[in-house]
Amino acid sequence: MSSKQILLRFESKNGQFRLTVKPTDEFPALLPKILEHLPKNLDPRTLTLSNKPHAGEDRLLSSLNGIAIERVGLKHGDKLFVKYNEQAPSNGDSVALTARPSQPYNSSDRLNGQPILQTEDILVAPLPPPTLPLTAIKNPWEVVKQSPLDDRLDKMDGKIPRPRDQKMCKHGPKGMCDYCMPLEPFSPKYLEERKIKHLSFHSYLRKVNSATNKPELKSSYMPPLSEPYYRVKPDCPSGHPQWPEGICTKCQPSAITLQPQPFRMVDHVEFASPGIVDSFLNFWRLSGAQRIGFMYGHYEEYAEVPLGIKAVVESIYEPPQIDEIDGCTLNSWINEGDVDEVARLSGLQKVGVIFTDLIDAGAGDGTVVCKRHMDSYYLSSLEVTISARLQAQHHKATKWSDTGRFGSDFVTCVISGDEDGGIAISSFQVSNSAVEMVRADLIEPSADPTVMLVCFSDEQNGSESRTRYIPEVFYRRINEYSASVQENAKPSFPVEYLFVTLTHGFPRESTGIFNVSDFPIENREAIGEGQELRSVAKKLGVSSGKVEGEKGVRSVADFHLLCFLHGMGILSKEEESLLCHVARSHDLAEGFQLLNTPGWATLLAILQESGERPPKRPSPASFPAVGDDYFDYSEQLAKRLKGASLK
């Protein structure tokens, strides 16, 4: 191997220079020579080498320890590009940059010359997902694991068959023409005939994929889906300081033009049993206050829409909350992970949120006030914001997106009054653009439920810190001349641009997993309903004298009971898994296997000691002292003693 010296060229934002090196030299050994041609106030820890001026393979010089120049294929006359950050000056007279490029830049001055306070308010992300954009995955169809339902729908043809047209078809019974050939699942004519307003997700995927990847062009395959991103992109390759100190056309988000989303991730919401909604409504019937709950269920194919998906709701869990007549406030949900674990063991997952918005009409016939209609609103701006946050927490994994995720299957259901005064359910999903706008803190709810406000930039608000960039937002509408015009969305725009509607219903025959849901529902102490050991004993058929094993096995098919038993911590993981399997399958053979486990025997022993007991006779201390109740009790006591001899 030759050790002949070679010449390498270097280029930085301060100019160009050359170095004579040996091919066997390691990269860290070049640091003293490179620093001689660069400013004295740079931070050596941020020195980066790249093979291209923009969008190249950037490598920190310190990370190339042990790597020789000849190992990376550099030859005589090759050129490298040097990038670095300057150290923060102690006097604060000039722009101060951080020592690590992965950290946000600190500066004593803004773009407009105004100083940044040391106690500046850093933007608190309203959502748990990371603030950095997801990096593109190479060949996501090979590494991303999506749901089994999506895998089945991907393998389906999706074509809509059509019978032979007796008038237009001139061919034989085995022929085919334009009038009888199968339609694509995204056919506008078919959707219009069936009154289907939105494409299903997989129909939209077929439509976008047919336009993105054309086999006849013999080009490389590209993922057809990409999530919107409305924030300033970090680590801009242009070399300027990071936002908020610098910004360019490559890293700033483009203008946003809002349009109704043509597809929906879920097409239908099906409640496995009417009793699920009825028991949820009982809280409002008894208290008059609103209620919110999270729906647990699973996803299935929906045959009414081409390549459709429906969310099947099996149970509604009501977390800790403060309920009022005009709304409710969620408290800290400490055992959310435990409830999700019970749902996972039962083959379920969190599929959506449901809440009531009911006001009694006062007519005495059970009618309610119709608040949501065509002339008011269907989903308020505050509810859109909350739904967007929840959907961002439950993203959908798909191998057809360049980042491995796209949208969400999380749904929102509202129980409110209809135009006839009855109680009706409405189902929605917010659009992907709405989720990203909420995540980027571009919009905020308004006092008017029909409009959404576009946030002002930090400088317009008079804030001393500049942490977010607000791009231009537009929306298209049909004006009074029936022409499509573009309007500026600032300061507000109609909330209808941010959500899509779903259908809902009940099966003809109840096929729910939890078919004996009569256990007290959690967090209902406000209406005098609580979960106690004697409720469990009564449910499982346990008393101080006997244990009805078969009744207990048949009664475990209750999601609220399973969550309560999980919170007791008596059963082991294997026993709890068996319990959830028995609740899901209703298999008596496995149920009797559960009866023979030590954990279940311990539970029954505890219930026998402290569970269902016969009611005790009232003690003298509990006798009423004054009032009409006293005379009622005296009369009953006299009746019991009537005929008794004192001799």
Side-chain angles (χ1 to χ4, degrees), residues 10-17 19 30-49 61 80-86:
F10 295 85
E11 180 178 338
S12 68
K13 56 185 178 182
N14 293 81
Q16 299 184 6
F17 58 93
L19 293 179
L30 304 180
L31 180 60
K33 299 180 181 180
I34 296 177
L35 292 178
E36 294 177 358
H37 299 82
L38 297 178
K40 303 299 182 182
N41 61 339
L42 70 84
D43 190 343
R45 294 174 298 177
T46 65
L47 195 61
T48 306
L49 298 180
L61 187 60
L80 294 175
F81 297 89
V82 182
K83 303 175 184 178
Y84 56 87
N85 296 331
E86 298 175 354

Side-chain angles (χ1 to χ4, degrees), residues 269-273 276 295-298 311-316 351:
V269 179
E270 179 181 291
F271 294 90
S273 171
I276 298 174
M295 301 182 293
Y296 284 86
H298 53 91
V312 181
V313 180
E314 298 287 352
S315 183
I316 299 176
V351 299

Side-chain angles (χ1 to χ4, degrees), residues 114-134:
Q114 298 179 358
I116 295 180
L117 301 180
Q118 297 296 329
T119 58
E120 67 176 34
D121 51 329
I122 304 299
L123 175 64
V124 179
L127 301 166
T131 56
L132 296 178
L134 294 174

Side-chain angles (χ1 to χ4, degrees), residues 91-232:
N91 55 8
D93 293 334
S94 60
V95 176
L97 303 179
T98 60
R100 302 181 68 87
S102 60
Q103 300 291 335
Y105 287 85
N106 299 322
S107 173
S108 60
D109 296 313
R110 302 180 178 281
L111 296 176
N112 57 5
Q114 298 179 358
I116 295 180
L117 301 180
Q118 297 296 329
T119 58
E120 67 176 34
D121 51 329
I122 304 299
L123 175 64
V124 179
L127 301 166
T131 56
L132 296 178
L134 294 174
T135 57
I137 301 176
K138 184 179 181 180
N139 300 338
W141 54 90
E142 298 178 355
V143 297
V144 176
K145 183 179 180 180
Q146 56 186 15
S147 66
L149 175 60
D150 289 327
D151 289 334
R152 291 198 305 268
L153 291 174
D154 286 341
K155 297 177 182 178
M156 291 185 178
D157 180 63
K159 298 293 184 66
I160 304 171
R162 290 191 297 173
R164 185 172 180 271
D165 194 319
Q166 300 297 332
K167 295 182 179 180
M168 306 302 298
C169 294
K170 307 300 182 183
H171 52 78
K174 295 185 179 181
M176 184 180 296
C177 65
D178 293 339
Y179 297 100
C180 62
M181 65 182 300
L183 297 175
E184 294 290 344
F186 49 84
S187 172
K189 180 180 178 182
Y190 178 83
L191 298 177
E192 184 178 358
E193 291 176 353
R194 296 299 183 94
K195 306 298 182 183
I196 301 175
K197 188 176 181 181
H198 302 282
L199 289 172
S200 66
F201 166 68
H202 283 269
S203 297
Y204 174 76
L205 174 60
R206 305 288 175 91
K207 180 179 180 181
V208 176
N209 189 43
S210 62
T212 305
N213 300 287
K214 298 182 178 180
E216 60 270 14
L217 298 180
K218 297 182 179 180
S219 58
S220 58
Y221 182 82
M222 296 177 57
L225 301 178
S226 179
E227 283 198 318
Y229 190 79
Y230 299 148
R231 288 162 283 173
V232 178

Side-chain angles (χ1 to χ4, degrees), residues 376-419:
S376 62
Y377 66 96
Y378 291 102
L379 202 64
S380 69
S381 56
L382 177 61
E383 293 161 356
V384 167
T385 304
I386 296 174
S387 299
R389 295 185 178 188
L390 292 173
Q391 286 186 204
Q393 295 174 0
H394 303 85
H395 58 267
K396 180 185 181 70
T398 175
K399 60 185 180 181
W400 306 111
S401 173
D402 54 355
T403 58
R405 60 173 64 177
F406 185 80
S408 172
D409 289 338
F410 199 85
V411 301
T412 300
C413 295
V414 185
I415 303 179
S416 186
D418 58 12
E419 297 179 355

